């Protein structure tokens, strides 16, 4: 008995010595490790009888209070080289993580990850076993920590380079899963309008910087893709991926439509709602009847000079308003202004009175505003960037020759640092977004009981009633003009001149073109010509007539 007690005492002394040695290596307590129990205490409490079993079968490490990737475990970690039935060899790798915690929140996230991404791994392994084609090239993950809050972003890519991106937010302190709105609130972004404005600006600037160099002949198609990229960004509050940016703001993964032939790519854009939204410069422009002002934060406002009278006292604003059939509105907040503007020129172009505003961005791109068309329908919109015109440093007014009409007209030139000049009005006229094949043709809606046709020889436009699958012929001719774009789509003005009343009816529409098959149309303002509901988009299907 004494001999056995001596053995036990010696074993206990050895364990105690080991615990003391381990304690001496522990780091000084920090904010994140302050409540962590020393590892030695777990060892010292192990009974002597279990020492041999512990050495043979290491136990799972005790839960740590550290907030880093040690709290992320692995569901799948596969990497292999495989030759498909066509004889093409490639390397495939799949890393699917799990949150290493035993709460209901962690369990729910892990189940979603397994269902969404683990399924892809199982498909790939099954395809390999059958010598079939593998449709998922890789799966990777990235973690972002903000104290106890983990944002886990997982990306899968298929053989056509299409990405699927998911993000999952989990608070290790509370054991709760966070939704995107809760994640934004944790970051201090509770003003939805401010967040969405910053996101729209980030998306527009990303698109313009990546595709601004493309040939101007592609502008109409780029305008469609830009409008599509700006639409439906409220997915940020539901299924879009987002995670905190290491310095400030957050990164959102949004659908970016591209001319690469694949429709859209999930693209990371950096968003900082607290950052000043604009160049910080205050700009002012004026022509005979209108002014334009840009604030330091990028807001653009156009105002009519209603008190102005020509020097000969012959023309007042009221007279000019009647000549050009302007609406009653005299102050316009211009929508769709997403650039950081550093210079502006406001002047009349052409051979008649046609005021335009040209805005120069920090990265040398040019955007424009059609003032008269906006004042006629009561909606002022930024026309968008003039793609293919880059590196502009200043504006100049001048003249150009129109060979079709055999006459000169007033225009504005964008001038580069190398003194290369671009005729900006020619670029505006050549954008012609409504001329793309997706938009030229006849469209019908059973919901509204109306139809319209956008003609190839624009601005001709026809509209009428649609009943029992038949189009009732239009009574009056009408026209359609593109004003600009914002998150609602292309903002267009439809004008219908009524011979019976001798007046023009106008309706402002937001048109969101689809890749094929039709267009979503929403009433923005003016009279109802298409029988559209208020602020609700309606699908018009393209017909073969």
């Amino acid at each position: 008995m004494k001999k056995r007690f001596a053995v036990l005492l010696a074993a206990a002394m050895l364990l105690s010595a080991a615990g003391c040695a381990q304690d001496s290596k522990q780091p000084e307590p920090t904010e994140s490790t302050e409540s962590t129990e020393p590892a030695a205490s777990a060892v010292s409490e192990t009974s002597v009888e279990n020492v041999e079993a512990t050495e043979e079968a290491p136990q799972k490490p005790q839960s740590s209070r550290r907030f880093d990737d040690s709290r992320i475990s692995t569901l799948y970690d596969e990497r292999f080289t495989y030759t498909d039935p066509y004889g093409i060899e490639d390397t495939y790798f799949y890393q699917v993580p799990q949150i290493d915690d035993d709460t209901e929140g962690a369990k729910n996230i892990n189940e979603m990850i397994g269902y969404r991404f683990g399924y892809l791994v199982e498909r790939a392994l099954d395809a390999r076993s059958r010598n079939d084609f593998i449709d998922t090239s890789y799966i990777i993950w990235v973690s972002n920590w903000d104290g106890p809050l983990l944002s886990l972003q997982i990306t899968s890519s298929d053989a056509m380079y299409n990405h699927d991106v998911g993000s999952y937010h989990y608070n290790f302190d509370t054991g709760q899963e966070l939704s995107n709105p809760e994640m934004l609130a944790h970051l201090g972004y509770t003003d939805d309008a401010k967040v969405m404005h910053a996101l729209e600006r980030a998306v527009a600037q990303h698109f313009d910087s990546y595709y601004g160099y493309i040939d101007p002949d592609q502008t109409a198609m780029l305008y469609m893709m830009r409008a599509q990229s700006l639409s439906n960004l409220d997915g940020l509050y539901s299924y879009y991926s987002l995670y905190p940016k290491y310095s400030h703001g957050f990164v959102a993964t949004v659908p970016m439509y591209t001319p690469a032939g694949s429709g859209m790519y999930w693209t990371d854009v950096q968003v900082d709602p607290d950052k000043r939204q604009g160049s910080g410069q205050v700009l002012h422009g004026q022509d005979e009847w209108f002014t334009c002002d840009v604030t330091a934060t990028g807001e653009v406002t156009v105002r009519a000079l209603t008190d102005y009278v020509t020097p000969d006292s012959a023309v007042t604003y009221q007279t000019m308003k009647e000549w050009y059939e302007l609406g009653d509105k005299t102050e316009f907040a211009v929508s769709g202004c997403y650039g950081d503007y550093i210079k502006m020129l406001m002047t009349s172009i052409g051979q008649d009175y046609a005021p335009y505003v040209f805005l120069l961005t920090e990265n040398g791109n040019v955007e424009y505003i059609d003032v008269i068309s906006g004042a006629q329908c009561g909606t002022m919109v930024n026309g968008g960037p003039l793609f293919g015109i880059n590196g502009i440093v200043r504006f100049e007014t001048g003249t150009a020759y129109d060979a079709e009409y055999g006459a000169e007209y007033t225009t504005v030139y964008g001038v580069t640092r190398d003194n290369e000049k671009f005729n900006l009005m020619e670029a505006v006229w050549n954008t012609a977004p409504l001329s793309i094949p997706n938009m030229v043709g006849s469209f019908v809606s059973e919901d509204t009981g109306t139809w319209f046709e956008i003609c190839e020889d624009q601005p001709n436009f026809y509209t009428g009633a649609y009943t029992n699958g038949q189009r009732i012929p239009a009574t009056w001719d009408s026209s359609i003009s593109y004003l600009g774009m914002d998150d609602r789509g292309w903002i267009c003005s439809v004008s219908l001149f009524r011979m019976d009343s001798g007046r023009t009816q106008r309706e402002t529409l937001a048109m969101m073109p689809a890749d094929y098959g039709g267009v979503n149309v929403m009433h923005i303002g003016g009279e109802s010509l298409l029988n559209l509901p208020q602020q609700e988009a309606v699908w018009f299907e393209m017909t073969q007539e």
Side-chain angles (χ1 to χ4, degrees):
M1 181 72 180
K2 290 182 178 180
K3 184 176 181 180
R4 185 180 178 192
F5 176 80
V7 171
L8 289 174
L9 180 60
M13 291 175 67
L14 286 173
L15 286 173
S16 178
C20 292
Q22 187 162 348
D23 278 344
S24 67
K25 296 178 182 178
Q26 289 292 313
E28 290 297 319
T30 63
E31 185 176 349
S32 60
T33 63
E34 197 167 335
S35 60
T36 304
E37 294 181 7
S41 62
V43 177
S44 62
E45 291 170 6
T46 305
S47 66
V48 177
E49 290 82 1
N50 291 331
V51 169
E52 184 176 350
T54 303
E55 291 175 350
E56 292 178 354
Q59 300 298 308
K60 178 182 175 181
Q62 294 298 309
S63 178
S64 166
R65 294 301 295 172
R66 291 182 303 164
F67 299 124
D68 58 24
D69 287 357
S70 66
R71 311 294 290 271
I72 302 172
S73 59
T74 300
L75 181 62
Y76 291 94
D77 188 2
E78 301 282 344
R79 184 183 184 93
F80 57 85
T81 300
Y82 173 71
T83 302
D84 68 21
Y86 285 159
I88 300 174
E89 183 181 276
D90 204 349
T91 298
Y92 302 83
F93 53 95
Y94 311 110
Q95 297 175 333
V96 181
Q98 296 275 271
I99 294 175
D100 191 6
D101 210 357
D102 56 2
T103 65
E104 284 299 316
K107 181 181 177 182
N108 183 53
I109 291 176
N110 289 338
E111 287 178 351
M112 289 191 294
I113 292 173
Y115 178 81
R116 183 172 177 179
F117 296 100
Y119 164 75
L120 299 177
V121 181
E122 291 295 335
R123 274 174 55 101
L125 297 177
D126 178 64
R128 182 181 64 168
S129 69
R130 294 182 289 102
N131 194 32
D132 201 352
F133 292 98
I134 297 177
D135 52 14
T136 300
S137 300
Y138 65 81
I139 301 174
I140 58 175
W141 59 269
V142 177
S143 64
N144 290 271
W145 291 88
D146 183 16
L149 187 59
L150 166 66
S151 286
L152 194 59
Q153 184 185 48
I154 309 175
T155 303
S156 67
S157 177
D158 65 16
M160 299 301 294
Y161 306 104
N162 296 309
H163 293 170
D164 180 28
V165 185
S167 66
Y168 307 89
H169 314 296
Y170 180 73
N171 191 323
F172 276 90
D173 268 355
T174 64
Q176 292 181 329
E177 175 189 0
L178 276 71
S179 64
N180 278 4
E182 290 170 334
M183 182 65 190
L184 289 170
H186 170 82
L187 296 174
Y189 304 129
T190 56
D191 187 334
D192 292 351
K194 183 178 179 181
V195 169
M196 287 305 299
H197 179 62
L199 177 61
E200 290 168 7
R201 283 175 53 85
V203 169
Q205 291 187 15
H206 181 98
F207 189 97
D208 298 347
S209 63
Y210 271 78
Y211 306 114
Y213 67 91
I214 293 181
D215 191 283
D217 292 341
Q218 303 298 315
T219 294
M221 190 60 67
L222 289 171
Y223 274 15
M224 181 183 78
M225 295 171 179
R226 189 177 189 261
Q228 290 173 327
S229 298
L230 285 167
S231 67
N232 300 319
L233 290 178
D234 55 0
L236 176 73
Y237 291 98
S238 52
Y239 63 94
Y240 287 179
S241 171
L242 72 88
Y243 58 89
K245 192 170 180 293
Y246 64 89
S247 57
H248 202 63
F250 60 90
V251 175
T253 307
V254 299
M256 189 76 66
Y257 289 78
T258 74
S262 304
M264 71 86 175
Y265 286 102
W266 288 103
T267 304
D268 287 350
V269 294
Q270 296 183 6
V271 185
D272 188 351
D274 290 335
K275 179 183 176 182
R276 184 188 62 219
Q277 306 295 307
S279 68
Q281 297 193 37
V282 176
L283 307 175
H284 176 78
Q286 181 173 331
D287 81 324
E288 192 171 17
W289 297 101
F290 291 90
T291 65
C292 181
D293 292 282
V294 179
T295 68
T297 53
E299 289 90 2
V300 182
T301 304
V302 172
R303 297 178 178 84
L305 296 172
T306 56
D307 295 332
Y308 178 75
V309 180
T310 56
D312 59 4
S313 301
V315 183
T316 64
Y317 177 80
Q318 184 62 33
T319 304
M320 191 274 296
K321 174 186 173 185
E322 294 172 0
W323 284 352
Y324 290 92
E325 299 181 339
L326 305 184
D328 293 331
K329 195 173 179 179
T330 59
E331 182 171 323
F332 310 87
V334 183
S335 67
C337 294
Y338 305 117
D340 296 325
Y341 306 116
I342 57 174
K343 290 183 181 179
M344 174 176 61
L345 177 64
M346 185 176 196
T347 189
S348 178
I349 56 88
Q351 294 179 322
D352 198 359
Y353 178 64
Y356 274 74
V357 175
F358 292 96
L359 298 165
L360 179 63
T361 68
E362 283 184 343
N363 58 7
N365 292 339
V366 177
E367 301 174 10
Y368 72 95
I369 303 168
D370 180 351
V371 176
I372 285 293
S373 296
Q376 287 175 333
C377 67
T379 303
M380 205 76 71
V381 193
N382 189 315
L386 298 175
F387 289 107
I389 298 178
N390 313 109
I392 303 302
V393 296
R394 68 179 188 277
F395 296 127
E396 289 183 2
T397 57
T399 59
Y401 183 75
D402 189 330
E404 182 178 355
Y405 294 98
E408 285 191 343
Y409 63 91
T410 303
T411 187
V412 174
Y413 290 94
V415 186
T416 68
R417 197 173 303 278
D418 297 329
N419 210 37
E420 183 180 6
K421 296 184 179 182
F422 295 88
N423 185 338
L424 300 183
M425 277 317 304
E426 184 178 44
V428 170
W429 293 328
N430 289 339
T431 57
L434 294 172
S435 65
I436 62 175
N438 312 51
M439 297 298 294
V440 174
S442 179
F443 300 82
V444 300
S445 170
E446 293 183 355
D447 293 335
T448 63
T450 54
W451 65 272
F452 65 84
E453 180 179 355
I454 299 177
C455 303
E456 192 169 358
D457 55 339
Q458 294 172 22
N460 291 340
F461 177 90
Y462 301 100
T463 184
Y466 180 73
T467 58
N468 300 321
Q470 300 294 320
R471 298 187 311 166
I472 309 302
T475 305
W476 314 107
D477 291 345
S478 52
S479 64
I480 186 170
S481 59
Y482 166 84
L483 300 177
M485 76 179 85
D486 57 24
D487 61 294
R488 298 169 293 183
W490 289 350
I491 310 302
C492 302
S493 175
V494 173
S495 302
L496 187 149
F497 183 72
R498 298 289 300 259
M499 296 291 291
D500 55 350
S501 62
R503 73 182 189 90
T504 299
Q505 292 179 287
R506 286 190 173 87
E507 181 173 18
T508 307
L509 307 172
M511 308 183 81
M512 180 59 70
D515 291 332
Y516 56 87
V519 59
N520 282 300
V521 184
M522 182 170 65
H523 173 84
I524 296 297
E527 300 184 58
S528 177
L529 303 179
L530 297 180
N531 194 32
L532 293 166
Q534 295 291 318
Q535 302 301 316
E536 180 181 339
V538 175
W539 175 255
F540 278 76
E541 184 175 354
M542 196 174 200
T543 71
Q544 302 302 317
E545 300 179 32

